[in-house]
Amino acid sequence: MKKHIETIAIHGSMKEQVGENEPIVPGIEMSTIYEHRKSGRKDEDWKYTRHSNPNRVQLENVIRDLEHGDHCAAFSSGIAAISSVFQTIESGAHVLVPEDVYFGTRKLIWEFAERWNLEVDFIDMTDLSTVSSSLKENTKLVWMETPSNPRLLITDVVEVSKIAKNHGAIAAIDNTWPTPFNMRPLELGANIVIHSTTKYLGGHSDILGGAVITKGNEELFEQIRKVQVVQGAVPSPQDCWLLSRSIRSFPYRMRAHNENGRKVADFLNDHPKVEKVFYPGLPSHPGHEIAKAQMDDFGGMISFLIDGTAEDAIKVVAGAKMIKAATSLGGIESIWEHRKSSEGEESPTPDNLIRLSVGLEHPDDIISDLELALS
């Protein structure tokens, strides 16, 4: 029987069979070691918690099912999950990455691509002709991020995945911002989905984590799993347990993030001190039609340009009372930041851009605080 996302989120990490008078919610399995059978160890046995742990398996199962994938590997952070994908690509390969991309991904490439002997080009992933013309004989990975961070550019996941696959390359996508509530890239043709589970899946700004989900291609997933186990960037049992608990409310939180995001985007779009709003739910957004076709809703992330300088943008961020200035996103609280200050001078992000993670406060209160800061 096909289950809806709310049901998967609640029951996907629970015990599948519960005996009489047994706890429904699994406990935290803190032991790092397991006793060997007297008859000898078997492949399916628990061995050592870096290899596997009951809480991590429960977490991986629910994230796998939310994304409608076949396999999931949970990591200790989003950047560890991203790194694992790049490390599965053979030495000497060429990789395509969006020019507007999460700065952590960009930094990872700047620091390690040469050491991994990867050739990387940052391109306009929204232009299909650019994607096609940028392919090389040795292109093995096409990395997508849609909506992109921080300018919320929209990539056509179906078409770019086709281009990649026809070329024999892996189509990977960071689905942290949309989440599987709003978009399921594996159903659109992607091979790999990546998450920073720190963000919307965790949802409370108190758990660090990441995940990689695949569909088909057992060999590819085994390479991901090898990086996870051998390098050891695994989440603790407690973090897995906490994240599984947070996921149970995730679909209902996303409904509110979506609703508040739309209202706040409309407000900002009409404000005289805002030069431009980047939000795919606005009909004026150049990627609106593609976003509408591949997403169920548009999320709670908004970026906008102040009609002014970097200093003006910094003053606006400092002028709020409720919305806190902080890096990260996807929590129940609204936060924002002058993004260039966080990324540094080498960042291509516009100087006057503010990135806003719309939280779950009443939308009228969020808008009132924005009015105050913009005044």
Side-chain angles (χ1 to χ4, degrees):
M1 180 180 71
K2 184 177 180 181
K3 295 177 181 175
H4 294 85
I5 192 168
E6 295 86 352
T7 305
I8 294 170
I10 291 172
H11 292 280
S13 61
M14 300 287 201
K15 290 183 177 180
E16 291 187 8
Q17 301 204 351
V18 179
E20 291 186 15
N21 203 33
E22 290 290 318
I24 291 174
V25 177
I28 305 177
E29 178 58 81
M30 295 299 292
S31 180
T32 58
I33 57 174
Y34 300 86
E35 184 178 5
H36 297 181
R37 298 172 189 258
K38 290 180 173 56
S39 58
R41 212 169 63 180
K42 296 186 178 181
D43 288 344
E44 66 270 19
D45 287 352
W46 303 110
K47 301 176 180 68
Y48 183 58
T49 205
R50 173 165 56 85
H51 290 257
S52 193
N53 169 277
N55 297 114
R56 191 157 86 238
V57 169
Q58 290 152 5
L59 173 63
E60 289 175 344
N61 286 347
V62 70
I63 296 176
R64 174 201 66 198
D65 291 346
L66 287 171
E67 284 288 4
H68 297 184
D70 292 328
H71 302 285
C72 173
F75 287 83
S76 54
S77 69
I79 200 66
I82 293 167
S83 177
S84 76
V85 176
F86 281 90
Q87 290 182 76
T88 64
I89 306 305
E90 63 191 59
S91 177
H94 176 243
V95 178
L96 292 179
V97 178
E99 60 185 6
D100 188 61
V101 70
Y102 166 51
F103 193 72
T105 304
R106 186 185 301 277
K107 188 77 170 173
L108 179 77
I109 292 167
W110 282 349
E111 295 290 338
F112 293 101
E114 186 175 341
R115 299 185 197 185
W116 294 334
N117 194 27
L118 296 179
E119 179 189 357
V120 181
D121 282 325
F122 293 91
I123 66 166
D124 180 1
M125 201 67 72
T126 68
D127 187 331
L128 296 178
S129 62
T130 297
V131 177
S132 295
S133 63
S134 299
L135 293 169
K136 298 182 178 181
E137 187 176 340
N138 62 332
T139 303
K140 299 298 181 184
L141 174 66
V142 177
W143 186 270
M144 290 175 274
E145 190 180 277
T146 181
S148 66
N149 182 1
R151 287 192 287 135
L152 290 102
L153 305 180
I154 299 299
T155 295
D156 190 326
V157 179
V158 172
E159 293 305 318
V160 172
S161 296
K162 285 179 183 176
I163 292 169
K165 288 183 177 180
N166 289 339
H167 190 73
I170 293 166
I173 181 166
D174 187 330
N175 200 36
T176 298
W177 280 23
T179 80
F181 188 81
N182 288 331
M183 186 171 72
R184 290 158 300 282
L186 296 175
E187 295 182 340
L188 300 173
N191 302 108
I192 301 180
V193 166
I194 302 93
H195 279 278
S196 171
T197 55
T198 309
K199 311 304 192 296
Y200 285 106
L201 292 179
H204 294 78
S205 305
D206 56 7
I207 311 168
L208 193 67
V212 178
I213 308 96
T214 64
K215 193 174 184 66
N217 202 330
E218 299 281 340
E219 183 180 351
L220 175 62
F221 181 74
E222 286 307 312
Q223 291 298 313
I224 297 289
R225 184 70 89 188
K226 183 185 294 185
V227 174
Q228 178 204 39
V229 172
V230 174
Q231 295 191 356
V234 295
S236 71
Q238 181 164 335
D239 281 353
C240 291
W241 187 91
L242 285 169
L243 185 53
S244 294
R245 185 185 68 170
S246 290
I247 285 173
R248 288 169 200 146
S249 66
F250 141 75
Y252 292 93
R253 287 187 278 108
M254 285 309 301
R255 284 203 183 103
H257 283 298
N258 288 335
E259 180 182 348
N260 287 0
R262 288 192 297 271
K263 291 178 179 178
V264 171
D266 286 338
F267 163 77
L268 290 170
N269 201 43
D270 292 334
H271 199 283
K273 290 189 178 179
V274 175
E275 181 182 302
K276 187 175 184 179
V277 177
F278 303 101
Y279 184 71
L282 293 172
S284 58
H285 190 290
H288 175 69
E289 292 303 320
I290 294 173
K292 192 164 66 171
Q294 66 190 18
M295 299 175 72
D296 296 325
D297 213 326
F298 305 106
M301 292 304 301
I302 303 170
S303 288
F304 58 99
L305 303 180
I306 289 295
D307 186 9
T309 64
E311 289 70 25
D312 294 325
I314 291 169
K315 286 179 182 177
V316 169
V317 169
K321 296 295 184 184
M322 181 184 72
I323 304 170
K324 303 302 182 186
T327 297
S328 196
L329 56 102
I332 57 173
E333 63 288 313
S334 293
I335 61 173
W336 60 355
E337 66 177 335
H338 175 244
R339 188 61 184 159
K340 189 69 172 275
S341 295
S342 295
E343 295 181 347
E345 285 306 312
E346 69 270 36
S347 165
T349 295
D351 289 345
N352 58 336
L353 183 141
I354 294 173
R355 192 185 74 177
L356 169 64
S357 175
V358 180
L360 304 188
E361 303 94 347
H362 193 284
D364 291 351
D365 294 334
I366 300 172
I367 289 170
S368 293
D369 207 36
L370 289 170
E371 283 270 28
L372 172 68
L374 288 164
S375 67

